[in-house]
Amino acid sequence: MISDFFQFSQVFFTIYFIALHGAYLILNALSIISIRRYMEEHSVNNLPKVYTGLEIPISMLVPAYNEEVTIVDSILALLQMNYPEFEIIVINDGSTDNTMNVLIEHFNLTIFPEAYRDRLKTKDVKNIYISKQYRNLRVVDKENGGKADSLNTGINISRFPLFCAVDADSILQVNSLEQIVQPFLEDPKTVAAGGTVRIANGCSINKGFVTEANLPKHPLAIFQVAEYLRAFLFGRLGWSPLNALLIISGAFGLFHKETVVSVGGYRTDTIGEDMELIVRLHRVLRKRKKAYKITFVPDPICWTEAPEDLKTLRNQRIRWQRGLSESLLRNRELLFDRNGGVVGWVAMPYMLIFEWFGPFVELLGITTIILGFTFGYISAEVAIIFFLIAIGFGVLLSTVAVLLEEMSFHIYSKPWYVIILFFAAIVENIGYRQLNSIWRITAMFQELKGHKPQWGHMKRNASWNDS
Amino acid sequence: MESFLDFNITSKITLDASISLMKYVAGVVLLVLISVIFMRLKLVYHDIKRKKFLNIWRPILMESIAHTPNKLPRLNKTYLQDFIAEWNSLYEKLGGISHDNLISIAARLDIHRHSAIMLISSHPRIQLTGIVTLGNMRVKSSWELLASIAQSDQTILSMAAYRALILIDGDRALEELLPILIKRSDWPASMIAKILKDTDNYKACELMTEACDNASKDNLPRILKYINALNCQNASKVFKRILTESHDDHLYSLCLQKLNDPSAIDIVREFTTYARWHVRVNAAIALGNIGAEEDIPVLEKMLSDPQWWVRYRAAQSLCKLPFIDTQRLNSIRSKHNDKFAKAILDQVLAEKELAS
């Protein structure tokens, strides 16, 4: 009986891992096709860059909570964006530090009698300020309500048809807006677009912009570079042509404001408000039978600091898993819905089976094989083969991500970085990935126990070279 | 059923398949490593050679801005793409006489011939470079080929070909390709507006307004967008006709946006109470452009509109009217009972003060 159980487990887990990695490989193939086409069509942008006034103006929403150290540099960098018409709205979410005073002083802010309209219900707005120095900069001072509440406030006050949600610590490129708006110009059905997020640790930064892409020194951050490549270049690029993209990073995303307002804005009772909004957009727009597009722009247009200590990383991953879980749960109607299309019939089940439940199966598989081997139900040969499959495919996928990067943007100019990255892509599959799975399972248990999700405070190291 | 549950057999099959699979996986990972190294070496090698090549040609191209050099070095065809990219980039940055000099250098190096060959490439990137270069070089002999690409299904290539034709002969391209321009719903309006700015504004406006007469319901909004982007001075007749004869809210909004003809004031007034707020917003804007003294009460009423944007534009239009000063605006504010009207006027007055 026990022997049968281990024999069954062995077959089940092997098939599961092959199915999981098979799904990844299909996404891989789709990504390679997408990136080749994208590079062909967009790499030579020889069309003239003269603005005509028909470009869609953009409101950039920057929620800030206790960001007194970095906020001024972040805003100064955003003000330098290359784009004909945009405004910046900083939302001070009841910071307990000196964020508001720093902003008032540096940007010469004055209270402005704005006729505020609360289309989306939010915490009370205390004051609205306008910069005397930069006319396209406004700051909202409000009661603390979290990131989603701040973004909703920003949406209420924004003037333009598109809004761009930006984290206060995101580092953008001068042309980030020009690039992320392209899907909206190319297809008016576009309601949301997201870009690739890269790790800023180790990079050279000048006046708020990345001047040279370098690899971080800390191994944990290097693993995250490899992990982000895999997540963005496959995870997102693969789904985009199927119009089944379920995540747009909260660090940098562009949205059609009226559509977002029509689905109720950001949910304030979820920790993964960025993903939840995208899944809800799919669900509601499909229900309304409205033609829409949610697109991914593969250009590296946003940089963010990665945690370099296990505690912060653990908290971040727990938040992500809780976000994923809440997004799927709150929009479960979309799963196998009659009008669900590729999202409801492929992307959602994929997310549920492989991303949400995957860590559990993965660890259960490893534990079962180890137990089976220890008690003599599974031979050493079989156990080794199992681990090779579990890790081997992961290695293949991570290394292909490095290849894809080399085929497209090759942002790391120093050749030895590519070799380091290649080996990091191999090593991250042994230990780092399993650690992630444990954290993700922790998140699931926390959710079962009814623990309220906590806002994580990023421990900032600013481990880039500010010149 | 029994044989399915015979795990020993299933395990054996799984095991054998797994071993073979892993061999392939290891092989592919090795292949990926070799490819990554090879691609990087190629990139570094090409980069060094490219820099060396551009170090020769950049000064020559820069020098040509002032005068055309008598003697040119031989162009290494391996770096033809790099040369053309550099040439196009410089061309887009400069204007006037330097364009003529750059074209003359490119012609001496036979770039037009190479670019024409690029049009038949299977890579869109190379095709696009060829199209852009032929346009910038004003190569008349490529007209037919470019015109056929302009009619192809590929959005970016067809649009680039259209622009190249505009650069080669603006008037001819406008006339011959107007039916295509009107039909292409996949060409982003902002991009086309950029392209049309390179044409004779009077001619483009004349053709666009004429096209409105026979345009289909689907194409008319697009033409009106181009008319607005070109700031056509001759469009008021078309706008007035559409506002009185059409039954389409979107068309009303497009026509009201740029309506600058005082004789249309009665038509505009009718739209200030229109059911759709998008139309009311544009009616408020139009009143700011052509409104008279008797429109002040109309705009005052619009300050209490349920829609924020209507109130905001009405307040802006009130401030914009030439015969109204801050004192009068303050008196309008104080006599208004509606708190929304007061709030929006406060905002616009504060904006006006900040701007002054």
Side-chain angles (χ1 to χ4, degrees):
Chain A
M1 186 65 190
I2 297 174
S3 167
D4 279 355
F5 167 76
F6 280 107
Q7 294 273 20
F8 174 77
S9 303
Q10 178 190 318
V11 176
F12 172 77
F13 290 119
T14 310
I15 290 173
Y16 178 86
F17 275 97
I18 291 175
L20 167 72
H21 290 109
Y24 281 146
L25 285 172
I26 294 171
L27 277 178
N28 237 323
L30 285 171
S31 302
I32 290 171
I33 297 167
S34 289
I35 201 116
R36 280 185 72 92
R37 189 183 303 150
Y38 185 86
M39 296 310 288
E40 279 291 336
E41 288 182 351
H42 291 82
S43 60
V44 178
N45 194 1
N46 277 325
L47 292 171
K49 286 200 170 177
V50 183
Y51 299 120
T52 56
L54 273 193
E55 294 80 14
I56 316 170
I58 296 173
S59 300
M60 301 186 81
L61 312 183
V62 191
Y65 179 72
N66 290 350
E67 302 274 359
E68 63 178 5
V69 183
T70 52
I71 193 74
V72 170
D73 285 346
S74 306
I75 305 300
L76 284 174
L78 292 181
L79 283 162
Q80 293 172 56
M81 290 275 119
N82 272 350
Y83 199 71
E85 195 174 8
F86 69 97
E87 62 172 356
I88 297 171
I89 299 167
V90 182
I91 307 106
N92 176 42
D93 189 35
S95 294
T96 51
D97 69 351
N98 218 18
T99 303
M100 197 60 230
N101 288 332
V102 167
L103 285 167
I104 291 175
E105 207 172 297
H106 196 93
F107 295 104
N108 203 0
L109 300 180
T110 177
I111 290 185
F112 185 73
E114 177 102 23
Y116 181 74
R117 49 181 182 155
D118 51 350
R119 300 170 80 196
L120 299 167
K121 292 290 165 215
T122 64
K123 295 273 182 188
D124 286 346
V125 168
K126 290 191 263 185
N127 275 312
I128 295 167
Y129 296 83
I130 193 162
S131 167
K132 286 186 194 166
Q133 210 173 333
Y134 304 98
R135 288 297 153 77
N136 57 343
L137 171 65
R138 282 181 293 159
V139 176
V140 189
D141 190 19
K142 66 180 275 285
E143 303 286 346
N144 180 265
K147 191 179 167 190
D149 192 67
S150 304
L151 287 168
N152 284 341
T153 311
I155 293 173
N156 283 341
I157 201 179
S158 64
R159 303 265 173 91
F160 296 140
L162 300 181
F163 76 84
C164 177
V166 192
D167 278 352
D169 56 343
S170 290
I171 300 166
L172 306 183
Q173 317 259 103
V174 277
N175 58 353
S176 289
L177 284 181
E178 282 176 347
Q179 287 181 315
I180 203 165
V181 81
Q182 283 307 317
F184 288 86
L185 299 179
E186 286 165 15
D187 191 342
K189 292 196 294 296
T190 307
V191 296
T196 303
V197 178
R198 300 287 185 122
I199 306 277
N201 306 38
C203 294
S204 302
I205 312 270
N206 187 17
K207 290 179 183 157
F209 293 106
V210 172
T211 47
E212 192 184 5
N214 299 318
L215 277 185
K217 290 195 173 65
H218 200 289
L220 207 53
I222 301 180
F223 290 153
Q224 288 174 78
V225 173
E227 190 189 17
Y228 271 49
L229 275 186
R230 187 167 145 172
F232 281 94
L233 287 182
F234 293 155
R236 303 199 185 169
L237 190 58
W239 289 115
S240 186
L242 305 171
N243 198 25
L245 186 67
L246 285 177
I247 309 174
I248 282 181
S249 168
F252 189 56
L254 189 63
F255 298 85
H256 183 254
K257 186 170 74 182
E258 287 310 313
T259 309
V260 172
V261 171
S262 80
V263 302
Y266 286 94
R267 273 187 86 130
T268 51
D269 57 353
T270 171
I271 198 157
E273 74 291 327
D274 44 0
M275 182 180 179
E276 198 283 329
L277 175 66
I278 303 301
V279 185
R280 183 150 39 93
L281 278 171
H282 278 295
R283 176 171 62 81
V284 177
L285 297 178
R286 285 202 162 268
K287 201 172 174 183
R288 288 180 190 160
K289 295 194 175 156
K290 198 180 166 223
Y292 71 96
K293 240 176 127 178
I294 295 177
T295 310
F296 178 71
V297 180
D299 294 87
I301 46 186
C302 176
W303 301 75
T304 189
E305 190 186 348
E308 289 189 351
D309 64 294
L310 284 173
K311 196 180 164 204
T312 318
L313 185 65
R314 176 182 180 272
N315 288 341
Q316 185 194 55
R317 296 310 153 103
I318 288 178
R319 278 201 315 280
W320 286 4
Q321 183 70 8
R322 297 284 302 264
L324 167 73
S325 184
E326 287 171 348
S327 305
L328 296 178
L329 191 71
R330 296 207 162 127
N331 296 286
R332 56 186 178 276
E333 270 177 54
L334 182 60
L335 187 70
F336 300 126
D337 183 74
R338 204 153 41 98
N339 302 315
V342 183
V343 192
W345 288 84
V346 185
M348 280 276 274
Y350 165 90
M351 280 285 171
L352 195 72
I353 299 167
F354 296 132
E355 295 289 334
W356 183 73
F357 201 56
F360 191 71
V361 180
E362 198 177 317
L363 276 193
L364 194 70
I366 292 171
T367 319
T368 313
I369 299 294
I370 291 173
L371 283 177
F373 170 67
T374 314
F375 293 107
Y377 293 106
I378 291 172
S379 69
E381 200 187 10
V382 171
I384 290 168
I385 288 296
F386 174 81
F387 282 110
L388 279 179
I389 289 182
I391 292 161
F393 271 112
V395 169
L396 175 67
L397 289 164
S398 302
T399 50
V400 172
V402 178
L403 176 73
L404 212 64
E405 157 68 13
E406 209 45 29
M407 275 167 65
S408 51
F409 303 107
H410 33 80
I411 55 164
Y412 296 103
S413 54
K414 296 188 177 102
W416 59 91
Y417 280 162
V418 186
I419 305 299
I420 296 172
L421 201 54
F422 188 87
F423 286 103
I426 294 174
V427 180
E428 65 128 1
N429 286 282
I430 309 155
Y432 177 76
R433 278 202 169 263
Q434 290 73 24
L435 199 58
N436 260 293
S437 296
I438 294 170
W439 292 334
R440 286 162 77 177
I441 292 168
T442 313
M444 285 160 80
F445 278 114
Q446 280 186 2
E447 198 172 355
L448 278 175
K449 278 197 212 159
H451 280 196
K452 283 209 164 178
Q454 296 292 316
W455 280 105
H457 287 285
M458 175 83 178
K459 190 175 152 195
R460 307 242 166 255
N461 298 306
S463 62
W464 53 65
N465 311 310
D466 219 332
S467 45
Chain B
M1 193 69 195
E2 244 180 52
S3 67
F4 176 74
L5 287 172
D6 186 342
F7 291 122
N8 287 327
I9 296 171
T10 322
S11 300
K12 180 82 180 73
I13 295 168
T14 317
L15 191 68
D16 291 345
S18 303
I19 293 170
S20 324
L21 204 61
M22 277 308 97
K23 280 182 189 160
Y24 283 116
V25 168
V28 176
V29 171
L30 195 67
L31 204 66
V32 168
L33 175 65
I34 294 166
S35 309
V36 167
I37 295 172
F38 176 73
M39 283 163 91
R40 182 46 69 124
L41 285 176
K42 200 176 148 197
L43 191 76
V44 170
Y45 175 78
H46 185 80
D47 225 37
I48 296 168
K49 289 279 183 185
R50 191 177 146 266
K51 271 184 193 151
K52 220 168 151 186
F53 171 81
L54 289 178
N55 280 344
I56 300 169
W57 281 98
R58 249 184 209 144
I60 296 170
L61 289 175
M62 291 307 285
E63 194 195 325
S64 73
I65 296 168
H67 57 86
T68 334
N70 290 329
K71 223 177 148 195
L72 292 173
R74 197 182 64 84
L75 183 71
N76 185 343
K77 300 290 183 301
T78 319
Y79 302 103
L80 187 67
Q81 294 283 334
D82 296 305
F83 176 83
I84 293 179
E86 187 69 19
W87 185 89
N88 276 321
S89 147
L90 196 62
Y91 181 94
E92 299 288 356
K93 281 183 207 149
L94 302 170
I97 183 120
S98 43
H99 272 179
D100 297 338
N101 291 348
L102 279 173
I103 292 170
S104 139
I105 284 200
R108 280 164 63 189
L109 293 167
D110 245 4
I111 296 299
H112 51 292
R113 200 173 51 80
H114 296 299
S115 302
I117 296 168
M118 287 163 120
L119 296 190
I120 49 168
S121 164
S122 56
H123 295 283
R125 187 173 54 83
I126 296 175
Q127 274 182 292
L128 186 60
T129 310
I131 294 167
V132 171
T133 316
L134 289 171
N136 286 344
M137 286 185 72
R138 319 283 198 267
V139 183
K140 284 200 169 90
S141 57
S142 305
W143 186 274
E144 299 304 326
L145 206 50
L146 287 170
S148 74
I149 297 173
Q151 294 176 57
S152 73
D153 293 340
Q154 290 150 300
T155 302
I156 293 180
L157 291 183
S158 59
M159 204 166 52
Y162 182 70
R163 181 189 176 239
L165 293 166
I166 290 278
L167 290 175
I168 293 169
D169 187 342
D171 285 0
R172 185 179 167 196
L174 273 174
E175 275 175 31
E176 285 184 17
L177 298 166
L178 190 68
I180 300 167
L181 176 69
I182 291 167
K183 275 185 207 154
R184 293 297 294 237
S185 57
D186 59 327
W187 286 357
S190 62
M191 207 56 111
I192 294 301
K194 279 176 199 174
I195 293 170
L196 290 176
K197 295 234 162 175
D198 284 335
T199 62
D200 171 6
N201 182 279
Y202 180 78
K203 173 114 187 161
C205 287
E206 205 179 58
L207 286 167
M208 292 288 168
T209 44
E210 270 172 29
C212 285
D213 293 338
N214 302 314
S216 70
K217 204 174 142 231
D218 291 337
N219 297 334
L220 191 52
R222 208 162 31 252
I223 306 174
L224 289 172
K225 272 187 197 167
Y226 297 147
I227 287 176
N228 287 346
L230 289 166
N231 272 322
C232 292
Q233 297 304 310
N234 62 340
S236 90
K237 207 173 141 194
V238 171
F239 289 158
K240 283 196 279 186
R241 182 176 57 78
I242 294 171
L243 286 170
T244 47
E245 291 172 11
S246 157
H247 300 285
D248 185 323
D249 296 343
H250 184 43
L251 294 183
Y252 293 156
S253 290
L254 286 167
C255 292
L256 288 165
Q257 261 167 33
K258 295 273 173 153
L259 190 60
N260 214 351
D261 177 2
S263 73
I265 190 71
D266 288 334
I267 304 172
V268 174
R269 282 175 192 148
E270 282 176 35
F271 286 99
T272 57
T273 52
Y274 196 79
R276 293 286 299 271
W277 70 269
H278 288 105
V279 178
R280 295 202 300 278
V281 167
N282 289 300
I285 294 171
L287 281 187
N289 292 330
I290 58 171
E293 180 70 35
E294 55 265 45
D295 293 303
I296 294 174
V298 181
L299 284 167
E300 275 186 56
K301 209 176 157 197
M302 291 178 98
L303 292 175
S304 299
D305 195 282
Q307 278 295 332
W308 189 93
W309 274 105
V310 181
R311 300 201 293 274
Y312 182 62
R313 293 295 184 213
Q316 279 186 323
S317 289
L318 268 176
C319 290
K320 199 178 162 191
L321 290 174
F323 43 85
I324 204 162
D325 56 14
T326 312
Q327 202 183 345
R328 195 159 169 202
L329 285 168
N330 282 324
S331 109
I332 291 171
R333 188 202 170 279
S334 56
K335 75 175 186 201
H336 231 297
N337 294 324
D338 180 36
K339 68 169 184 176
F340 293 106
K342 280 183 194 293
I344 205 76
L345 265 178
D346 282 343
Q347 177 178 329
V348 173
L349 283 167
E351 280 174 4
K352 196 178 171 190
E353 202 185 313
L354 272 171
S356 61

